[in-house]
Amino acid sequence: MSSGLLSVERLSHRYTSGRRIEFGSFSLAAGEVLLLRGASGSGKSTLLNLLAGVLPVGRDQGLVTLGSAALHAMSAAQRDRLRPFTVGWMPQRLCLIQSLTVHENVVLPVALGAKSDALPAAMRRADALFGALGVADLAARRPSDISVGQAARVSLARALIGQPVVLLADEPTAALDSESAARVAQAITAYAAAGGAALIASHDEALAQHMDALRPANPVRQITLRQDEASDREQS
Amino acid sequence: MSVRLRTMMRLIGGFLRARPWQFALAVALCALGLASAVGVLWLQSTLEAHARRQAAGIDIVVGAKGSALQNVLAAVYHLDVPNGNIRLSEVERLRQHPLVKRAIAVGMGDSVAGARIVGADNELIDLYGAVIDRGSLPSAPMEAVLGAAFARRTGLKLGDHFVGAHGVGEGATDHEGDPYVVVGVLKPTGRVIDQTVVTPLASVWQVHEGHAAPGSEHEATFALIEARGPVGVASLPRLINQTTSMQAAVPALESARLLSSFEWMATVVKAFAGVLLLAAMASLLGALLQSLAQREPELAVMRAMGASRTTLFALLFGEAVVLVLIASGLAGVLLAAGAFALIHVTLPGLGVSATEGVQWWFYGLAVALLLAVVATIPLLRRVATLDVAALLSAR
């Protein structure tokens, strides 16, 4: 797994409505977990979309460096090519593909990446992730046959399957019971401990406590986004 | 097979299985449209080819004065009654003309079991490219050789006897005293000779001896002329019409004149086929658009997981192609059933070509694939403008 950094400098975004939101500057080192907080509408999902390269970083709207790639200088096609092996993305809407099994959903990012030699290793990683997330018995099922909590864990496994430089997760524990939330916290912590960097948007107060308890020597950092103005209030 | 391709095929298969009835309906409509369009065009080409095939080798039909078209229909297609008879001596004179390569005197007017009895030299059999399947060619009056379809239909076999009837169709009266004997059966040719009985012209004279005036000259009904080159085809009819008591008609011209009077019908049929194909495409597009609307979030997540726009385009195009291929296969089955019915039940003598049918089906498949491309274009526009961020943000 890469030890690359995520670096964000003076990042802002303008919506089609004309509203502008500023995210300021922050960075994320290998092994770190950064928790993104803020009220609904404060721009948490937008920030994740920008960092995932789904939304473009506009001209004069800041700099984003992901590993060694300057995201702000890349075309949409270049960001598409970069994403599968750099970013692990767990979107707010889980969107498992109904026609595929759970296992096929998890290895889909590798399969779509057209690196056939990477697939056997990805299959083995999927089994390990299923075990870590407590969903090993769901592998052959269809998404319609599993619960929302199980689907969230499967979605996290899908985000981690490509051994990404950075994990971006949008409300990963929303609607999960405490056991499922604990499994998710464990998986994210293990990913970070192995050298990954995670940026998590979450309202869940217990998530940081869970992860801090698992890695007391490397506590979770937090950023809070304000709804009405640029915000970069980092808390230790 | 690459992992990527295998994954794409799994996605396409899953996509089709997830909405079986929706796509079954689209496929059925597409198959019906395709089968109808290909079917009518195939039938039209078969009928035209059939008309051309019947007239092959017959450049000019010479008969009694009257309707030229009627002479052609009676002599070439066996669809009408002759205008009358012509003197054999005039046919003999015609045979000596340097622009005439071959002139076959034909006596018609009698029938058996609804088929014409054609009195002519064995040269007629050669003209139609027929060869003996069983038995031999007739060599004496009242010997007869049967066309393949006629023999199959009536069950007559070598050595059997039958009597002809004066006239064709209802009202024909039997020539009881003059039975024919079957000496041969011809192989199928796909031409009108398959449906007929061929016997020496002398048989026709013998059967009609009582009808002719004593001492009168032998007659024939038609002379089928093969001319020497285009000059003969162009000049002989006028020569015959101006200098003899007979009437010459060119089957190619008369057939073209007849078919041109039905041209409006062919245009309507083609337009109908076009409408059917457009309806099939609209049905396919509707099904794909409806399905796309339902699974935009799935496509968005694939984009988010690293699938390029090209990959999604390929996926949607692949789905359209799979649907079209299934529809084309189904259309092929419908066409084969239609062709079978046409060949064996409705019009057994039409000489429908299965090979030509396959060729028309391939044309249909090519058009259907083109329609799949066209039907995919609106989908591609929607995929190109997919708002991944918005689709994956709301739960």
Side-chain angles (χ1 to χ4, degrees):
Chain A
M1 192 177 290
S2 167
S3 60
L5 301 172
L6 169 66
S7 170
V8 174
E9 293 179 44
R10 301 180 310 280
L11 181 63
S12 63
H13 180 70
R14 186 181 295 279
Y15 293 97
T16 49
S17 63
R19 181 188 162 212
R20 180 183 166 88
I21 189 163
E22 296 193 9
F23 302 106
S25 302
F26 62 89
S27 63
L28 191 57
E32 276 192 308
V33 176
L34 185 61
L35 205 60
L36 196 58
R37 296 200 173 281
S40 293
S42 60
K44 299 189 298 296
S45 295
T46 300
L47 177 56
L48 294 185
N49 286 330
L50 285 165
L51 300 183
V54 170
L55 288 177
V57 177
R59 187 186 294 269
D60 303 325
Q61 292 187 343
L63 308 174
V64 176
T65 308
L66 196 55
S68 58
L71 215 57
H72 53 274
M74 298 174 89
S75 67
Q78 287 172 321
R79 295 196 307 270
D80 286 346
R81 283 196 292 274
L82 176 73
R83 197 180 306 122
F85 303 100
T86 308
V87 177
W89 192 19
M90 181 182 173
Q92 193 175 6
R93 192 170 179 181
L94 303 175
C95 280
L96 298 177
I97 294 173
Q98 297 299 315
S99 57
L100 300 180
T101 65
V102 164
H103 191 276
E104 288 167 338
N105 265 282
V106 169
V107 297
L108 187 64
V110 180
L112 288 177
K115 285 193 176 176
S116 54
D117 53 341
L119 198 64
M123 303 279 242
R124 288 193 294 278
R125 258 193 329 274
D127 292 338
L129 284 168
F130 282 146
L133 289 163
V135 289
D137 55 337
L138 307 179
R141 290 199 204 169
R142 300 273 170 188
S144 55
D145 298 332
I146 64 176
S147 69
V148 174
Q150 290 167 331
R153 284 182 272 166
V154 171
S155 177
L156 180 58
R158 182 175 62 185
L160 294 174
I161 194 70
Q163 296 179 299
V165 173
V166 174
L167 170 67
L168 304 174
D170 199 351
E171 300 290 354
T173 56
L176 297 192
D177 58 40
S178 58
E179 187 197 338
S180 294
R183 292 269 198 180
V184 167
Q186 280 171 6
I188 294 172
T189 306
Y191 161 76
L199 180 59
I200 316 292
S202 177
H203 286 102
D204 186 359
E205 296 289 342
L207 183 60
Q209 293 168 14
H210 259 310
M211 289 194 283
D212 284 347
L214 291 165
R215 289 178 77 200
N218 202 349
V220 172
R221 289 163 56 212
Q222 297 190 35
I223 296 177
T224 301
L225 297 180
R226 287 186 187 166
Q227 194 165 357
D228 55 349
E229 60 182 278
S231 174
D232 186 6
R233 296 194 317 173
E234 190 169 332
Q235 301 169 356
S236 59
Chain B
M1 190 188 297
S2 74
V3 173
R4 186 189 181 85
L5 185 58
R6 201 166 57 227
T7 305
M8 298 278 279
M9 290 176 72
R10 295 273 298 135
L11 285 167
I12 290 171
F15 156 73
L16 297 177
R17 279 196 305 274
R19 300 158 186 86
W21 292 111
Q22 187 180 351
F23 287 114
L25 185 64
V27 162
L29 284 172
C30 200
L32 277 175
L34 203 56
S36 306
V38 171
V40 292
L41 292 171
W42 178 19
L43 189 59
Q44 190 191 356
S45 81
T46 292
L47 289 172
E48 286 175 0
H50 178 73
R52 281 195 302 273
R53 199 163 49 238
Q54 300 315 318
I58 306 172
D59 295 325
I60 303 162
V61 169
V62 179
K65 290 281 187 197
S67 162
L69 178 61
Q70 188 176 337
N71 272 346
V72 169
L73 288 175
V76 178
Y77 303 107
H78 295 191
L79 290 175
D80 208 338
V81 292
N83 289 327
N85 289 334
I86 55 178
R87 287 199 300 275
L88 197 61
S89 56
E90 284 202 289
V91 177
E92 287 300 333
R93 268 201 300 281
L94 203 53
R95 211 171 253 154
Q96 306 309 317
H97 196 283
L99 287 176
V100 173
K101 184 178 176 186
R102 174 156 68 175
I104 303 170
V106 173
M108 292 171 77
D110 286 356
S111 65
V112 55
R116 312 272 171 145
I117 297 173
V118 181
D121 292 345
N122 291 337
E123 209 176 359
L124 181 78
I125 293 168
D126 180 52
L127 174 77
Y128 282 108
V131 291
I132 280 290
D133 186 28
R134 302 184 291 279
S136 61
L137 292 174
S139 56
M142 304 317 291
E143 288 184 351
V145 65
L146 311 181
F150 175 80
R152 192 171 55 245
R153 176 165 67 85
T154 58
L156 284 171
K157 48 191 185 300
L158 299 183
D160 283 355
H161 289 78
F162 65 90
V163 292
H166 190 67
V168 178
E170 287 180 18
T173 54
D174 287 352
H175 293 290
E176 290 293 353
D178 296 294
Y180 292 91
V181 60
V182 179
V183 296
V185 176
L186 299 172
K187 286 186 175 172
T189 62
R191 301 182 66 177
V192 74
I193 197 169
D194 290 354
Q195 308 282 352
T196 60
V197 172
V198 181
T199 184
L201 189 54
S203 309
V204 179
W205 297 331
Q206 182 176 321
V207 168
H208 293 93
E209 244 167 14
H211 300 276
S216 60
E217 186 185 341
H218 281 312
E219 291 183 325
T221 315
F222 298 110
L224 306 180
I225 308 287
E226 187 179 358
R228 285 192 197 282
V231 176
V233 178
S235 59
L236 279 172
R238 192 169 49 189
L239 180 76
I240 294 165
N241 289 335
Q242 287 177 352
T243 62
T244 72
S245 62
M246 302 182 292
Q247 175 156 32
V250 178
L253 295 179
E254 295 302 324
S255 300
R257 193 158 28 185
L258 182 65
L259 287 174
S260 71
S261 64
F262 293 107
E263 206 163 283
W264 65 270
M265 201 183 288
T267 305
V268 168
V269 165
K270 282 176 185 164
F272 179 63
V275 168
L276 284 172
L277 277 176
L278 283 176
M281 187 184 75
S283 140
L284 183 67
L285 175 61
L288 288 170
L289 274 176
Q290 193 182 358
S291 162
L292 178 62
Q294 288 168 354
R295 67 196 181 117
E296 275 185 342
E298 286 190 357
L299 295 175
V301 88
M302 278 192 254
R303 288 274 289 125
M305 296 301 130
S308 64
R309 285 193 178 96
T310 309
T311 300
L312 296 193
F313 291 166
L315 189 64
L316 292 172
F317 182 63
E319 288 165 358
V321 166
V322 167
L323 288 173
V324 159
L325 287 178
I326 295 171
S328 300
L330 190 57
V333 171
L334 292 173
L335 285 168
F340 183 85
L342 204 62
I343 292 167
H344 296 286
V345 183
T346 315
L347 296 166
L350 199 57
V352 174
S353 159
T355 312
E356 198 183 330
V358 171
Q359 184 187 326
W360 274 103
W361 179 81
F362 272 113
Y363 290 151
L365 178 63
V367 171
L369 287 173
L370 189 65
L371 291 182
V373 173
V374 175
T376 312
I377 289 170
L379 308 182
L380 300 189
R381 290 186 60 188
R382 281 189 53 178
V383 168
T385 55
L386 211 58
D387 189 344
V388 177
L391 284 163
L392 298 184
S393 291
R395 232 179 249 279

